[in-house]
Amino acid sequence: MRISGHGIVILSLLIFSFIEISVHARPVVLVLSNDDLNNGGDDIGVEESSDFDEFGESEPKSEEQLDPGSWRPIFEPDDSTVQAASPQYYSGLHNILAAASEGNFRLMEEAVEEIEAASSAGDPHSQSLMGFVYGTGMMREKSKSKSFLHHNFAAEGGNMQSKMALAFTYLRQDMHDKAVQLYAELAETAVNSFLISKDSPVVEPTRIHSGTEENKGALRKSRGEEDEDFQILEYQAQKGNAGAMYKIGLFYYFGLRGLRRDHTKALHWFSKAVEKGEPRSMELLGEIYARGAGVERNYTKALEWLTLAAKEGLYSAFNGIGYLYVKGYGVEKKNYTKAREYFEKAVDNEDPSGHYNLGVLYLKGIGVKRDVRQATKYFFVAANAGQPKAFYQLAKMFHTGVGLKKNLEMATSFYKLVAERGPWSSLSRWALEAYLKGDVGKALILYSRMGEMGYEVAQSNAAWILDKYGERSMCMGMSGFCTDKERHERAHALWWRASEQGNEHAALLIGDAYYYGRGTERDFVRAAEAYMHAKSQSNAQAMFNLGYMHEHGQGLPFDLHLAKRYYDQALESDAAAKLPVTLALASLWLRRNYADTFLVRVVDSLPEVYPKVETWIENVVFEEGNATILTLLVCLITILYLRERQRRQVVVADPVAGDVAQPLDADVAQHLAAFPR
């Protein structure tokens, strides 16, 4: 980090480095203004449709259908016919992951050759994997052009992960016209896998680090059935606790807390919970029967359970009932009036899904007079509550200019947010499982793949693994294990992508990389740009670093007033920065009042002295033999001090006794007895 080796702020680093750095995504808050609304042409581009949700066929598709070439058969095999469709691809993929786990360079080389052969034969999923190989420089010379070409061929062949990679590439280049088309398709696929009644919890990929250290708190909660808290909860459920039964069912249904999704187990626990009268489980049972998740689809039973849940005060269940009426499932016929009434009940109880569903009615004029502006307002309320389908609708409105002014950049951002919840997001769960099992190599491959697809948390995790584990990361380069240079360059690229997506810690590390020349050429100007990016996210350490660079004229104009302003902002942003800011302000005072004096030159020379002192302490003081000698020396000095103090006390107490030896008190005697003679 910047502050560690510069003048009087050396001590500042030791304090400031303990400040917790927040790298969690900030909540999205959307504010609708009149300027955003499209005042004319609300009907342009929107056709009346009897299909309520416009999300394709009613029958749900499997993950393999939604995500061709899915890695699921490797991690959760349950159907050999899936792998039989592309045996060479799955064989090569299996070997790549095995080689990463074992650190087996020869196996990795053979696996890539196998994938390359399948790619040359026209297999789109193998072409996608070769795009990843060329993009990372693994067993092949890194080539952006070859990576793009392979992903392009794979996307044309239907590989969704390559479409994600291409969309992110276009987004980074501000080619929103191309990015928006791909993200729109991906978002629609993702929405096809969402629930009809109750929105699933937003399960963000787990960030395995907090700042530079492992995120032990988050990891502890992600150990699935091995987690002690889960085992206690399971014990409570087995003893008849209805609330515990519901929670376990919820964990299995959505795949939370490190558990793999298991609809059969979810059905079991929900069924036991409703026997105890647990209303939330009634709603989920209605969802299960409506989707046919782990059980034969039965809309009649779905309506029964949702109705029971609604009677128990579960207002989100009104959405499921309304949906069934608008589609005509489990009821005599479609009834838009009843559907609207149920959605309005949900809205009256501030349920976000109710706002979304009512918005769709107004957007399409189903059972109500068509009112695009009113629909837009409902979507904004739902989106601010985190409803992903609402983001999808707003993305379409920004994309087409219906209801909202056309804005491809906003449309792209919203489509991307929804697309990242598609079935390919399962890679994150498998990466976390691998990491928790100590399989760092496999975790790195999985996070790197997701990073290529544009997931910021995965980019951050992969970069952190490379930096934290070094050679133990099992990083594979062009002709063997990654050299230090290859590893630094790969981590630098990942941190840079994460910083572009708002990760302030990544922006700090990029700034440090440019400042110190780690993995790249030293460049104070680009370092300042990176710190500015982190500062824009109210990062106190970035503000401090910018103040230091102004104070010393490094990459920024020499300006003591601006330096003080940044130091003050750092303190305002984080109270924990008080000591380093105080020391930095003292440095400014010296520089302002004693410019070009010996005192300032002494302060400026500290960066050269500090590394030497640090090296001496590490190599001399902390060396085992020297540490023992120093410890004995400290003990000897302590004993001599105690002897002298006792002698003086005796002299003061009995000046007549002169030099006659006096008995020692118990404390001193004990110290002397413990010291070897």
Side-chain angles (χ1 to χ4, degrees):
M1 297 182 186
R2 153 75 353 56
I3 324 159
S4 60
H6 299 83
I8 198 168
V9 293
I10 290 171
L11 179 59
S12 305
L13 170 69
L14 301 179
I15 308 300
F16 202 72
S17 60
F18 287 99
I19 298 175
E20 182 176 354
I21 301 172
S22 173
V23 291
H24 299 290
R26 288 176 168 78
V28 177
V29 179
L30 303 174
V31 180
L32 180 63
S33 69
N34 289 328
D35 292 337
D36 294 316
L37 294 170
N38 189 347
N39 293 322
D42 282 347
D43 293 331
I44 298 175
V46 177
E47 300 177 358
E48 294 295 335
S49 172
S50 60
D51 187 1
F52 171 63
D53 52 21
E54 284 194 324
F55 300 147
E57 301 173 1
S58 167
E59 291 296 323
K61 296 180 180 179
S62 67
E63 181 165 322
E64 286 69 30
Q65 291 174 304
L66 294 171
D67 181 20
S70 168
W71 292 21
R72 182 178 295 278
I74 300 293
F75 291 94
E76 299 177 16
D78 58 3
D79 188 352
S80 59
T81 60
V82 176
Q83 293 196 38
S86 303
Q88 196 169 5
Y89 161 69
Y90 280 109
S91 172
L93 175 58
H94 177 272
N95 288 335
I96 284 177
L97 294 169
S101 297
E102 302 167 8
N104 189 329
F105 174 73
R106 173 57 59 186
L107 180 60
M108 180 68 78
E109 193 172 39
E110 293 173 354
V112 171
E113 289 175 356
E114 186 176 11
I115 289 294
E116 190 170 35
S119 171
S120 300
D123 178 62
H125 311 316
S126 298
Q127 290 167 345
S128 177
L129 209 48
M130 285 307 299
F132 171 68
V133 165
Y134 280 114
T136 56
M138 184 176 72
M139 314 308 299
R140 296 291 183 272
E141 184 177 0
K142 187 174 181 179
S143 172
K144 291 182 180 179
S145 59
K146 289 183 178 180
S147 176
F148 179 84
L149 188 64
H150 280 84
H151 279 309
N152 197 57
F153 285 137
E156 290 179 358
N159 187 279
M160 305 303 280
Q161 294 181 26
S162 278
K163 290 180 182 180
M164 285 287 289
L166 284 177
F168 183 63
T169 299
Y170 289 134
L171 177 61
R172 293 190 70 209
Q173 298 173 358
D174 293 328
M175 299 173 68
H176 298 292
D177 56 332
K178 292 188 175 182
V180 75
Q181 298 295 337
L182 285 168
Y183 276 130
E185 179 187 350
L186 291 158
E188 183 175 347
T189 301
V191 170
N192 266 309
S193 64
F194 292 170
L195 308 186
I196 66 165
S197 154
K198 183 179 179 64
D199 181 42
S200 61
V202 178
V203 185
E204 299 289 350
T206 300
R207 200 178 298 277
I208 62 176
H209 68 100
S210 177
T212 58
E213 299 303 319
E214 188 175 68
N215 191 355
K216 296 185 183 298
L219 293 177
R220 183 184 62 80
K221 296 178 181 179
S222 304
R223 296 188 178 276
E225 295 177 348
E226 296 179 5
D227 179 32
E228 184 178 345
D229 290 342
F230 176 82
Q231 292 172 356
I232 293 173
L233 190 68
E234 187 176 38
Y235 175 78
Q236 292 173 338
Q238 291 170 347
K239 291 296 183 181
N241 186 307
M245 294 173 183
Y246 164 73
K247 287 183 179 179
I248 291 180
L250 198 69
F251 292 165
Y252 278 119
Y253 190 68
F254 292 119
L256 305 177
R257 298 291 294 266
L259 292 171
R260 288 193 174 181
R261 215 176 267 179
D262 190 324
H263 291 151
T264 302
K265 287 185 178 180
L267 177 64
H268 167 75
W269 285 111
F270 287 145
S271 298
K272 290 181 73 68
V274 296
E275 291 175 3
K276 300 281 186 178
E278 216 294 321
R280 294 170 296 178
S281 296
M282 297 175 186
E283 182 185 11
L284 268 300
L285 279 177
E287 185 70 51
I288 284 175
Y289 279 109
R291 288 183 58 82
V295 68
E296 185 177 351
R297 176 175 290 192
N298 188 322
Y299 288 120
T300 302
K301 282 190 175 182
L303 181 61
E304 290 174 0
W305 283 116
L306 289 170
T307 302
L308 285 173
K311 288 180 179 178
E312 293 291 333
L314 268 293
Y315 301 114
S316 56
F318 286 128
N319 292 298
I321 298 173
Y323 186 94
L324 294 177
Y325 272 108
V326 85
K327 297 288 282 187
Y329 296 154
V331 295
E332 290 183 6
K333 61 179 181 178
K334 295 181 180 180
N335 189 325
Y336 298 145
T337 301
K338 280 193 174 182
R340 174 177 55 80
E341 291 173 353
Y342 279 115
F343 293 149
E344 286 175 344
K345 287 181 180 179
V347 167
D348 290 342
N349 290 279
E350 300 182 353
D351 186 82
S353 294
H355 283 89
Y356 166 76
N357 288 330
L358 201 54
V360 174
L361 292 186
Y362 278 102
L363 177 66
K364 293 181 167 295
I366 299 175
V368 295
K369 183 180 178 180
R370 190 165 185 272
D371 188 336
V372 177
R373 178 168 293 199
Q374 186 64 33
T376 304
K377 292 178 180 178
Y378 279 126
F379 290 148
F380 264 80
V381 173
N384 275 325
Q387 226 285 356
K389 289 182 182 179
F391 280 105
Y392 179 71
Q393 290 291 355
L394 290 172
K396 289 204 298 184
M397 299 174 88
F398 277 122
H399 188 186
T400 60
V402 174
L404 293 169
K405 289 183 179 179
K406 192 169 185 177
N407 187 327
L408 292 186
E409 185 173 353
M410 288 292 290
T412 303
S413 298
F414 286 179
Y415 277 141
K416 180 178 185 289
L417 185 150
V418 179
E420 288 185 344
R421 297 192 63 191
W424 38 86
S425 64
S426 296
L427 290 169
S428 175
R429 186 170 72 254
W430 301 324
L432 180 61
E433 287 177 0
Y435 181 80
L436 291 173
K437 292 176 181 177
D439 193 342
V440 178
K442 183 180 290 183
L444 177 61
I445 289 285
L446 289 162
Y447 281 132
S448 297
R449 175 64 162 179
M450 291 192 74
E452 181 186 47
M453 293 161 60
Y455 288 82
E456 178 273 316
V457 174
Q459 293 162 353
S460 173
N461 285 347
W464 181 80
I465 287 174
L466 288 167
D467 284 343
K468 182 72 174 180
Y469 286 87
E471 294 180 356
R472 293 180 294 136
S473 67
M474 301 300 177
C475 172
M476 298 283 187
M478 185 178 69
S479 55
F481 288 106
C482 290
T483 62
D484 288 344
K485 184 175 183 295
E486 285 178 318
R487 197 164 51 250
H488 283 310
E489 288 177 349
R490 195 173 294 183
H492 177 82
L494 288 162
W495 283 127
W496 185 258
R497 292 176 186 177
S499 72
E500 290 176 338
Q501 300 195 75
N503 185 321
E504 61 193 47
H505 175 64
L508 279 173
L509 290 177
I510 290 297
D512 290 343
Y514 279 120
Y515 191 93
Y516 293 109
R518 296 171 182 163
T520 185
E521 293 184 7
R522 197 171 192 184
D523 189 329
F524 289 146
V525 174
R526 297 194 73 174
E529 291 174 354
Y531 291 138
M532 280 288 188
H533 185 67
K535 178 258 179 186
S536 68
Q537 301 169 60
S538 301
N539 184 279
Q541 191 165 344
M543 296 172 187
F544 189 98
N545 291 355
L546 289 168
Y548 182 86
M549 295 181 80
H550 271 302
E551 180 183 353
H552 294 269
Q554 296 176 329
L556 293 171
F558 175 78
D559 191 324
L560 298 183
H561 292 289
L562 278 178
K564 183 179 185 304
R565 181 182 301 175
Y566 278 122
Y567 288 144
D568 289 341
Q569 287 179 356
L571 183 57
E572 290 173 5
S573 179
D574 195 331
K578 185 173 183 178
L579 180 55
V581 167
T582 301
L583 294 173
L585 291 176
S587 173
L588 279 181
W589 183 84
L590 287 174
R591 203 170 297 281
R592 183 181 293 115
N593 294 282
Y594 297 93
D596 300 322
T597 64
F598 174 74
L599 185 59
V600 173
R601 287 194 291 273
V602 168
V603 171
D604 287 341
S605 69
L606 288 177
E608 300 176 6
V609 175
Y610 175 73
K612 296 177 182 178
V613 173
E614 185 180 41
T615 302
W616 181 80
I617 291 175
E618 182 177 346
N619 296 336
V620 178
V621 176
F622 288 163
E623 200 275 327
E624 184 176 353
N626 293 340
T628 303
I629 294 172
L630 286 171
T631 302
L632 292 173
L633 180 60
V634 169
C635 291
L636 178 60
I637 293 173
T638 302
I639 295 302
L640 292 175
Y641 166 75
L642 292 172
R643 280 174 179 259
E644 179 63 18
R645 189 180 70 171
Q646 174 65 14
R647 189 187 66 79
R648 290 179 181 178
Q649 289 174 347
V650 170
V651 170
V652 172
D654 187 5
V656 180
D659 293 327
V660 178
Q662 300 293 324
L664 298 175
D665 61 51
D667 290 337
V668 177
Q670 183 177 0
H671 281 293
L672 289 174
F675 191 74
R677 289 182 170 81

